Structures are given as C-alpha cells and as structure tokens.
Amino acid sequence: MESNHRKTSLSVLTYNILSDTSATKLLSHEAYRTNKSVLDWNKRFPRITELILNLAPHIICLQEVDKPSQLTSQFYIHEYDNFYSSREQYPDGCLTLWNLNLFYPLEKKTVRFDDLVKDHPEKEFSDHNVASIVVLAPLEVNSGCPFPVIIANCHLFWKPHSDRVRLYQAQYLLSQIDMINLNYGFPVILCGDFNSFPGSIVHKFINKTDSLFDGPEREKRKHKHLPNLKETEKRIVTSPSKNRLELRSAYADYSERGEPTFTCCSANLKECLDYIYYSSDSLVLEGRTDLSSPNNECCPNSTFPSDHLPLMA
C-alpha cells in the first residue's frame, strides 16, 4: 500500500496460523487419520516462519498464536519487534510484528471484547476474544521508511450462528481505533480473522453497506435465523457515527464474487473469513499476493501449514 502524501510503500500480512491447541483437537478427525504429522507444531512452525519471511512484509498480524515466545524469538532474529495480546483463560492471542529498522511504536493497546459486554446475560458474548492496536511511527533516519500507520489485528468470535456477537465486537473495535486515532490522524489498517463471510453483517458494517441486514441467500440458508438482532442493536450499528472510518478491503475485487472464494480451507469449512482493510481516503492499494489454492485438500497439509491462507497487501 502507498500513502497519498508520502511516496513510500508499506506491506502488511495477516495470517491465522492455527494454534497448536486447536491443531491437537483435530487429531481424531477423519481427514487427518492417515497423516497426523501435518498437525505437528514442530513441523508446522518452521514452515509458517519460512512462508512469512519469504514474503518479507513490513508488518505481520498473526492470530491463534499460543507459542508467542517461540515466534517472537524467531522473528526478532530477523529484526521484527512485537506486541502480543493474549486471551484471558485461553492459551492463544493476536501477535503483531513490525520491522524494527523501519518503525517504532508510539502506542500499544489490547482490546478485550469482554469489556463491552461484562453485564450481558448471554454467555457467548463473553468468549475472551481480543484484538491489538499498535500505532507505528517511521524511523526518520531511514529515508526509505514507510509512513506512520495504525495497525489493528483481530480475531472475532468463531461460532457460526453468532453474527450478532461479531457485530458488537467489530463495532467496539472500530470505536477504539477511532478514539486512539483522534490523537494522531494516521491511516488505518485493520486485518485479521473476522470469522465472517462476504456479505455478512460484519462485512457490511465495516464496508458501510446500506443494506446492512440483507445477507446473501447462501448466508440465509446456512443461518436461517439471521439476522437475529434486537431493534435496539439495529439502531446502534446503523448509526453513521458508529463507523467513521473509510475502510476498503484489499481483496474486494479479487474474484468474480468480489472477495476471495475462501481464505480458510479446514476439514469443516471452506470460506472467506480473513480480510485486510485499509484507509481508502489516504492509502492506495499497489498490489496483493495471490492466494494459492489447496484444490480439494483440506488444510493443514504437506503444502499449507495452517487451515487458513496468508493474505498480504
């Protein structure tokens, strides 16, 4: 991505790397009975790091990280600093890394979505999901240094029938980004695993789509009760003041339907769940990586070390 004001480029990668904890739970799945080694963290770890380092992004956003010290030590060797936001009562979290020769952090914040709904009666609203926000400034000593930027790295609630929860989380995260950016006025890059299909309520909310509650027919068939939103919640999320950020998906026109056909190819699901959003009023998309296809194989496998694909713009 390139700034409208400074003719320098910035690359950002997002990748749900499949935590070792989650991979272990897949050992009994029929899809992996003949090749359980593809789930072994000791085999997946070097392939994950090699894949990322070969792409050489300026900024890296990882989700489902439950071996943070191992990852941060490896990436520090390659001159990446980091900020880790862990989930309470769970072993994983979001890890944001940046090239320490290009940036230094002005501010770091963990967003705990449970803070939004501490008194909510529904248990699923409290799943300890987190996001991280890092404000990065360029090292002026480096003449080729990219521009200042706010990076948000998130992993939203996973359950299929919980778009209402994800909508609350997305709204809360954008409000936190907006609040922090009042002090800076920097471009924003928001990425991660949103666990939301193209055309879902969350996708429409971030993209400021007018028909917020009219999901595609495929989504309606999969989740017949959607949109399961109370009238008060509809008023909250349709308020223009709730999303003042002008964000565009870097992969919005990637396929015939717009977003990629899939970014997750697990034994149970093949769909687009991961996104990179950027400030369309101050950044210009220069390019993005193509998404390699695992064909009919589920992931992880001998080629793909996670059940998600890495996206980079």
Side-chain angles (χ1 to χ4, degrees):
M1 277 165 276
E2 181 183 81
S3 169
N4 286 337
H5 307 294
R6 296 179 60 171
K7 296 301 179 182
T8 52
S9 297
L10 170 70
S11 57
V12 179
L13 176 142
T14 185
Y15 193 14
N16 181 326
I17 63 172
L18 181 64
S19 69
D20 185 33
T21 306
S22 296
T24 301
K25 293 177 182 177
L26 295 174
L27 286 171
S28 60
H29 197 287
E30 184 178 352
Y32 302 104
R33 283 180 184 168
T34 59
N35 191 12
K36 294 183 179 181
S37 64
V38 297
L39 300 171
D40 185 344
W41 173 253
N42 292 324
K43 290 182 171 62
R44 294 197 301 119
F45 169 69
R47 291 165 56 208
I48 288 169
T49 52
E50 181 183 13
L51 183 157
I52 295 170
L53 291 169
N54 284 342
L55 291 170
H58 296 129
I59 298 169
I60 304 165
C61 295
L62 304 180
Q63 304 85 43
E64 279 201 44
V65 175
D66 62 353
K67 307 281 187 183
S69 58
Q70 189 176 3
L71 282 159
T72 55
S73 298
Q74 180 67 18
F75 280 102
Y76 189 76
I77 295 171
H78 296 275
E79 302 182 317
Y80 284 91
D81 202 351
N82 71 87
F83 178 60
Y84 181 61
S85 298
S86 62
R87 297 169 70 196
E88 294 178 348
Q89 302 180 30
Y90 287 86
D92 67 291
C94 296
L95 177 63
T96 304
L97 306 109
W98 57 90
N99 187 315
L100 55 76
N101 295 314
L102 297 178
F103 298 102
Y104 68 95
L106 293 176
E107 186 174 345
K108 297 178 281 188
K109 178 183 177 67
T110 294
V111 177
R112 301 196 179 279
F113 294 116
D114 287 5
D115 293 344
L116 178 66
V117 289
K118 284 180 177 176
D119 300 319
H120 203 288
E122 296 179 46
K123 188 177 184 298
E124 68 174 1
F125 272 80
S126 180
D127 198 55
H128 310 292
N129 295 104
V130 296
S132 65
I133 302 173
V134 183
V135 183
L136 294 173
L139 293 169
E140 295 297 343
V141 294
N142 188 331
S143 59
C145 191
F147 42 87
V149 66
I150 293 180
I151 298 290
N153 175 11
C154 71
H155 191 184
L156 303 188
F157 191 54
W158 66 274
K159 285 188 179 178
H161 300 293
S162 301
D163 270 43
R164 187 156 56 98
V165 179
R166 285 185 286 275
L167 185 59
Y168 262 115
Q169 292 178 342
Q171 178 193 348
Y172 186 50
L173 176 56
L174 265 62
S175 70
Q176 293 296 300
I177 297 170
D178 195 37
M179 214 168 0
I180 288 175
N181 207 18
L182 291 174
N183 298 320
Y184 300 100
F186 292 168
V188 171
I189 297 175
L190 165 63
C191 53
D193 179 356
F194 293 77
N195 275 310
S196 301
F197 301 160
S200 65
I201 299 172
V202 172
H203 187 259
K204 289 182 175 183
F205 172 66
I206 296 174
N207 286 283
K208 292 186 174 180
T209 303
D210 291 335
S211 54
L212 189 64
F213 302 103
D214 299 325
E217 288 303 313
R218 177 177 55 187
E219 183 101 349
K220 289 178 181 177
R221 286 199 300 271
K222 287 188 177 184
H223 311 301
K224 294 179 181 178
H225 69 286
L226 290 179
N228 184 23
L229 290 169
K230 299 172 184 176
E231 287 304 313
T232 52
E233 293 165 345
K234 286 188 180 183
R235 286 197 294 273
I236 289 171
V237 298
T238 53
S239 168
S241 64
K242 292 297 176 180
N243 181 6
R244 290 193 291 265
L245 301 174
E246 296 295 332
L247 298 174
R248 176 174 170 78
S249 170
Y251 285 78
D253 56 355
Y254 184 79
S255 69
E256 289 184 3
R257 75 165 183 178
E259 300 285 359
T261 305
F262 60 88
T263 62
C264 172
C265 189
S266 69
N268 302 313
L269 179 67
K270 190 173 183 179
E271 253 298 353
C272 179
L273 305 176
D274 308 86
Y275 304 89
I276 298 175
Y277 292 99
Y278 64 94
S279 293
S280 57
D281 54 351
S282 54
L283 297 177
V284 176
L285 180 67
E286 288 188 311
R288 63 203 171 195
T289 55
D290 286 330
L291 302 180
S292 301
S293 173
N295 298 320
N296 293 322
E297 277 190 271
C298 65
C299 299
N301 54 44
S302 57
T303 306
F304 299 88
S306 173
D307 56 350
H308 288 246
L309 302 177
L311 282 66
M312 189 172 89

